Amino acid sequence: MIPVNPDRFLADLHELRAIGASGIGKGVVRPAFSRADIEARQWLGARMAQAGLLVEIDPVGSVWGLAQAEKSLLIGSHSDTQPEGGWLDGALGVIAGLEIARASIEAGGPPVSAVSFQDEEGRFGVTTGSTIWSGGLSLETADDLTDRDMISFAQARGAMAHLVTGPFVDPARFSGFLEMHIEQGPWLDQAGEAAAVVSDIVGIRDMRITFEGQQNHAGTTPMHLRRDAFQALGAFNARLAERLRNVVTPQTVWTIGHVNLSPNAHSVVPGKAVFSMQWRDGDAARLARMEEIIRETASEIAQEHGMGLGYSSMLGLEPVPMDAAMRAALEAAATEHAAGRWRNLQSGALHDAANLSRLMPVGMLFVPSIDGISHAFEEDTRDEDLTRGLHILAGAASRIAPKGGQAARS
Amino acid sequence: MIPVNPDRFLADLHELRAIGASGIGKGVVRPAFSRADIEARQWLGARMAQAGLLVEIDPVGSVWGLAQAEKSLLIGSHSDTQPEGGWLDGALGVIAGLEIARASIEAGGPPVSAVSFQDEEGRFGVTTGSTIWSGGLSLETADDLTDRDMISFAQARGAMAHLVTGPFVDPARFSGFLEMHIEQGPWLDQAGEAAAVVSDIVGIRDMRITFEGQQNHAGTTPMHLRRDAFQALGAFNARLAERLRNVVTPQTVWTIGHVNLSPNAHSVVPGKAVFSMQWRDGDAARLARMEEIIRETASEIAQEHGMGLGYSSMLGLEPVPMDAAMRAALEAAATEHAAGRWRNLQSGALHDAANLSRLMPVGMLFVPSIDGISHAFEEDTRDEDLTRGLHILAGAASRIAPKGGQAARS
């Protein structure tokens, strides 16, 4: 067993929280490459060095604390936050990695490395740092990405250029990746459970749909002659809910989160509605079946309402199953530390682990989010759930990390 | 009978159309106080003067051609257009007024004056010129109104200041007001009918409704725990249509033309939906009953979906019945010129006549709009429908104008 120190772990979590603290509850404002984010990454590097890890900061600003071994188990997450973020989203997994790597060095335990990936929260896309590191995106292409203020990734990472220690870390150094994260959903909190071993990270399908009818005078156009694009959207939304009912599981979600009417005026029958259609599920076959239903329903509605119908290209992220051996290690540790109080759960959110699965076996552990709240200053988790999660993760690391002790760096 | 000249009338309509012609179909771009609008108003003043009318341009740019008589019948509409307008919306009624006043002078007929009101199309509101003239809005208040580019009404009318001939024309000069307009709707065209005598201009109710739910992660928030403001809007829209079914007439309309979701992002369950709710009907009691149903339905949906519910203040324009004697004169003339091919119709659109009803008896005549299209370059009406409309309007003017001939100005 790696003898982690829960008090030190909580103290570090709170020290990290103070960097970029919003002053509202425990909230944090630490978006990627902000001054607070860079300061947090420097603080983390110093902590890793104190622990006896070899610190590297790669070209995109991901911070690594490397064990002195040919192969080590990598544990981490991200320390950047949403523009209005919580104190645990990402930070929890990073400090857990730091504590387990540190405790393992102290105890002469198995080799464990720690990492904080850059821009998981997607100032420049989605899980930018780990996507680049895992080969999902070239640095050259990424450099042209822009944030909503039209600042490029190249420009943003320039702010950390003086801290970069060298090229990207070689993935061959790692035997696998573990990530602990808050659930960001309500299941564990509502059930009063302590943890979840993630079975898979759901796949996502996302596209824009356009209904194009006839813009018209809202006073002189009788109801039965209207080709109202908003009414078509309403009919689509209602029929889709009906149709999906027999196909989905309680974990399946779908969302119309963006709607843009034209001309979007009180006195004009909307001639055009462009809206987002996003759906998530752990099963690729179900995602495909849902796509069929969505397209069939949209076609029917377009015909019935006299609409032109258009689709954007579809973004598709495949479901990522967690590695069986990683899951087994997490489940054994969960049974040891929270018998009868853990479950398996799909992750409805993306995580860095999804990218790393391209390179190595990955496993994920969730701890409860109070009221399921995340991406908000109110985000929180009870101390006992945080430390229990740490013990489970350390237990899994003990079971799965490469064998053999390690020497601390002198 | 006032012996109008249909060829001269059509020729003038086409001359006016050339001022601000869009170059697309018969379309016209002549918004209030644009260079084209001012040029058109100067052209109109010159035509009125040639006809022997006393020309006045009032402080807001409405152009008057006054008969030499203590009392005259006023006929007109507006010569400004939508930013992308048709050639007949407003212009038809103005040139009809010009032709009838001109023909009546030539024939020593009854005193008829002509007018083109300014900004009926609402660059600065709705029916701005006739609202000010009829006392619905003070010039001082109107001067602070701004268009969508934040140009004030005061600033805009400055562009016509050198053309203004004096203060506002005294409404006591007029015995009543007749306005001919295109229908801007499909009823006459679909029925193959020639004209409609307007029974009343519908009333309008317009407000914004807000549903406020819970913004949340679109991946980790299960469907049954969402408080999705767009879903609440969809449910409201569907239930409202059901509920209104037993209350409305085929002329009643309601429209959700504006929708604003927050934060309006693909990956976020919408926490807030602000949308417009507008309804129109000729019967004030029905408008009130619809308001009750709208508020009841919104309350039910808010409760069922866990939404906060808010309303903006409600804009209310009362229905305006046309004057009985004016209607009778128009109906007699319609029977003379289009027996069996005219009907009574509500106007679903606002017109200058609605404002003038505060000051004098008003009547309105509609001619067909091909395919019901208006506020678009494609707007059109057959020549025979235009000239038949002119004959009906002249027939009504003969019946209703103050008695006694008039002398042409020398």
Side-chain angles (χ1 to χ4, degrees):
Chain A
M1 282 303 302
I2 301 170
V4 289
N5 180 338
D7 294 336
R8 183 170 61 179
F9 160 75
L10 289 175
D12 274 350
L13 263 178
H14 284 284
E15 246 186 76
L16 177 53
R17 174 168 77 79
I19 307 174
S22 69
I24 301 172
K26 294 181 178 167
V28 175
V29 178
R30 209 164 55 217
F33 301 112
S34 65
R35 274 177 58 181
D37 173 56
I38 296 172
E39 189 185 330
R41 289 174 187 277
Q42 290 182 281
W43 172 87
L44 178 65
R47 273 286 190 277
M48 287 169 164
Q50 284 163 18
L53 295 159
L54 171 68
V55 179
E56 295 205 11
I57 298 185
D58 74 14
V60 301
S62 297
V63 179
W64 304 78
L66 302 173
Q68 301 290 311
E70 214 170 293
K71 280 270 183 200
S72 59
L73 175 68
L74 183 64
I75 304 181
S77 188
H78 60 95
S79 53
D80 60 295
T81 73
Q82 286 281 323
E84 296 191 359
W87 71 298
L88 296 169
D89 180 357
L92 174 63
V94 169
I95 301 301
L98 168 65
E99 176 55 29
I100 296 171
R102 179 165 53 191
S104 195
I105 288 174
E106 289 170 353
V112 174
S113 297
V115 65
S116 167
F117 288 107
Q118 183 53 290
D119 196 27
E120 194 272 350
E121 295 292 1
R123 177 176 163 194
F124 293 96
V126 183
T127 62
T128 317
S130 59
T131 301
I132 295 169
W133 186 65
S134 63
L137 186 68
S138 74
L139 184 56
E140 202 185 345
T141 306
D143 270 343
D144 287 335
L145 297 174
T146 50
D147 71 0
R148 58 183 171 187
D149 298 321
M150 296 308 287
I151 293 170
S152 72
F153 186 69
Q155 209 175 331
R157 70 187 181 92
M160 283 191 74
H162 60 296
L163 301 173
V164 172
T165 56
F168 288 106
V169 172
D170 181 1
R173 294 185 72 123
F174 308 114
S175 62
F177 177 64
L178 284 181
E179 182 171 7
M180 171 154 79
H181 207 282
I182 51 168
E183 182 198 338
Q184 305 181 280
W187 299 105
L188 294 177
D189 189 49
Q190 288 200 340
E193 293 178 343
V197 175
V198 174
S199 55
D200 36 39
I201 296 175
V202 301
I204 304 181
R205 299 289 182 272
D206 188 301
M207 63 183 176
R208 275 192 308 283
I209 303 179
T210 301
F211 284 130
E212 190 145 18
Q214 176 67 52
Q215 178 176 328
N216 236 321
H217 194 297
T220 58
T221 315
M223 300 307 280
H224 74 285
L225 292 176
R226 293 183 176 198
R227 289 164 50 214
D228 181 326
F230 172 72
Q231 292 301 323
L233 166 55
F236 168 78
N237 180 57
R239 193 173 301 173
L240 182 65
E242 230 171 76
R243 293 276 169 84
L244 288 178
R245 202 174 299 158
N246 298 321
V247 178
V248 299
T249 74
Q251 277 73 46
T252 312
V253 292
W254 67 98
T255 306
I256 293 175
H258 173 92
V259 171
N260 188 5
L261 302 185
S262 298
N264 211 27
H266 287 224
S267 287
V268 185
V269 178
K272 193 170 165 181
V274 182
F275 59 98
S276 64
M277 185 73 234
Q278 185 186 89
W279 61 108
R280 306 191 187 207
D281 194 85
D283 177 358
R286 187 173 293 112
L287 287 171
R289 179 71 192 114
M290 291 175 76
E291 183 187 349
E292 283 171 25
I293 292 172
I294 288 163
R295 291 186 190 265
E296 279 165 23
T297 306
S299 290
E300 282 176 24
I301 296 290
Q303 197 145 28
E304 292 168 22
H305 288 248
M307 297 282 137
L309 173 61
Y311 298 99
S312 72
S313 60
M314 190 174 74
L315 167 79
L317 297 172
E318 295 311 310
V320 176
M322 298 295 99
D323 177 74
M326 290 286 192
R327 277 181 63 171
L330 286 162
E331 289 172 6
T335 300
E336 185 184 341
H337 294 281
R341 297 194 54 226
W342 66 273
R343 65 166 74 189
N344 285 118
L345 203 58
Q346 283 183 349
S347 170
L350 265 186
H351 294 289
D352 290 311
N355 290 317
L356 269 66
S357 73
R358 278 194 282 262
L359 301 174
M360 61 189 74
V362 301
M364 280 198 81
L365 181 72
F366 280 169
V367 294
S369 292
I370 296 173
D371 293 333
I373 295 171
S374 184
H375 287 193
F377 291 152
E378 295 78 15
E379 173 190 288
D380 208 358
T381 298
R382 284 172 203 84
D383 278 359
E384 71 254 33
D385 287 329
L386 296 175
T387 56
R388 194 182 293 103
L390 176 68
H391 285 299
I392 297 173
L393 199 70
S398 301
R399 286 168 170 83
I400 205 88
K403 294 301 165 213
Q406 55 180 338
R409 284 177 75 223
S410 57
Chain B
M1 283 303 302
I2 302 170
V4 289
N5 180 338
D7 293 334
R8 183 170 61 179
F9 159 74
L10 289 175
D12 274 349
L13 262 179
H14 283 283
E15 246 184 79
L16 176 53
R17 174 168 77 78
I19 307 174
S22 68
I24 300 174
K26 293 179 177 167
V28 175
V29 177
R30 211 164 53 217
F33 302 112
S34 64
R35 274 177 59 180
D37 173 57
I38 296 172
E39 190 184 329
R41 289 175 186 278
Q42 291 182 282
W43 172 87
L44 178 65
R47 272 286 190 278
M48 287 169 164
Q50 283 164 21
L53 296 159
L54 170 67
V55 179
E56 297 206 9
I57 298 186
D58 75 14
V60 301
S62 296
V63 179
W64 304 78
L66 301 173
Q68 301 289 311
E70 213 170 294
K71 281 268 184 202
S72 60
L73 174 68
L74 183 64
I75 305 181
S77 188
H78 60 96
S79 53
D80 61 295
T81 73
Q82 285 281 322
E84 295 193 359
W87 71 298
L88 295 169
D89 180 357
L92 174 62
V94 169
I95 301 300
L98 168 66
E99 176 56 29
I100 295 171
R102 178 164 57 191
S104 195
I105 288 175
E106 288 169 354
V112 174
S113 298
V115 66
S116 168
F117 288 107
Q118 183 54 290
D119 195 28
E120 194 272 348
E121 295 293 2
R123 178 177 162 193
F124 294 95
V126 183
T127 63
T128 317
S130 59
T131 300
I132 295 169
W133 185 66
S134 62
L137 184 69
S138 74
L139 183 56
E140 201 187 348
T141 306
D143 271 343
D144 286 334
L145 297 174
T146 49
D147 72 0
R148 58 183 170 187
D149 298 322
M150 296 308 288
I151 294 169
S152 72
F153 186 69
Q155 209 176 332
R157 70 187 182 91
M160 283 190 73
H162 61 294
L163 301 173
V164 172
T165 56
F168 288 105
V169 172
D170 181 1
R173 294 185 71 125
F174 308 113
S175 62
F177 178 65
L178 283 180
E179 182 171 6
M180 170 154 80
H181 207 281
I182 52 168
E183 181 198 340
Q184 305 182 279
W187 298 104
L188 294 177
D189 188 51
Q190 287 199 342
E193 292 178 345
V197 175
V198 174
S199 55
D200 37 38
I201 297 176
V202 299
I204 304 182
R205 298 288 183 273
D206 188 302
M207 61 182 177
R208 276 191 309 283
I209 303 179
T210 301
F211 284 130
E212 189 144 19
Q214 176 66 51
Q215 179 176 326
N216 237 319
H217 193 297
T220 57
T221 316
M223 301 306 280
H224 75 285
L225 293 177
R226 294 183 175 198
R227 289 163 50 212
D228 181 326
F230 173 72
Q231 291 302 324
L233 166 56
F236 167 79
N237 180 57
R239 193 173 303 173
L240 182 64
E242 230 172 75
R243 294 276 170 84
L244 290 178
R245 202 174 298 157
N246 298 322
V247 177
V248 300
T249 75
Q251 276 74 47
T252 312
V253 292
W254 67 97
T255 307
I256 293 175
H258 172 92
V259 171
N260 188 5
L261 302 185
S262 298
N264 213 25
H266 288 224
S267 288
V268 185
V269 177
K272 193 170 166 181
V274 181
F275 59 98
S276 64
M277 184 73 234
Q278 186 187 87
W279 61 110
R280 306 189 188 210
D281 194 87
D283 176 357
R286 187 174 292 111
L287 287 171
R289 179 73 191 108
M290 290 175 77
E291 183 187 348
E292 283 171 23
I293 293 173
I294 288 163
R295 291 187 190 265
E296 279 166 21
T297 306
S299 290
E300 282 177 22
I301 296 289
Q303 196 145 29
E304 293 169 21
H305 288 247
M307 297 280 137
L309 173 61
Y311 299 101
S312 73
S313 60
M314 190 174 75
L315 167 80
L317 297 171
E318 295 311 308
V320 177
M322 299 294 99
D323 176 76
M326 290 287 192
R327 277 181 64 169
L330 285 163
E331 290 173 4
T335 301
E336 184 184 343
H337 294 281
R341 297 195 54 227
W342 66 273
R343 64 167 76 189
N344 286 118
L345 202 58
Q346 282 182 349
S347 171
L350 265 185
H351 294 290
D352 290 313
N355 290 317
L356 270 67
S357 72
R358 279 194 281 261
L359 300 174
M360 60 190 76
V362 300
M364 279 198 81
L365 182 72
F366 280 168
V367 295
S369 292
I370 295 173
D371 294 332
I373 295 171
S374 184
H375 287 192
F377 291 152
E378 296 78 14
E379 173 190 289
D380 208 359
T381 298
R382 283 170 205 86
D383 278 359
E384 70 255 34
D385 287 328
L386 295 175
T387 56
R388 193 182 295 104
L390 175 69
H391 286 298
I392 296 172
L393 199 70
S398 302
R399 287 168 169 86
I400 205 87
K403 295 300 166 215
Q406 56 180 337
R409 286 177 73 223
S410 55

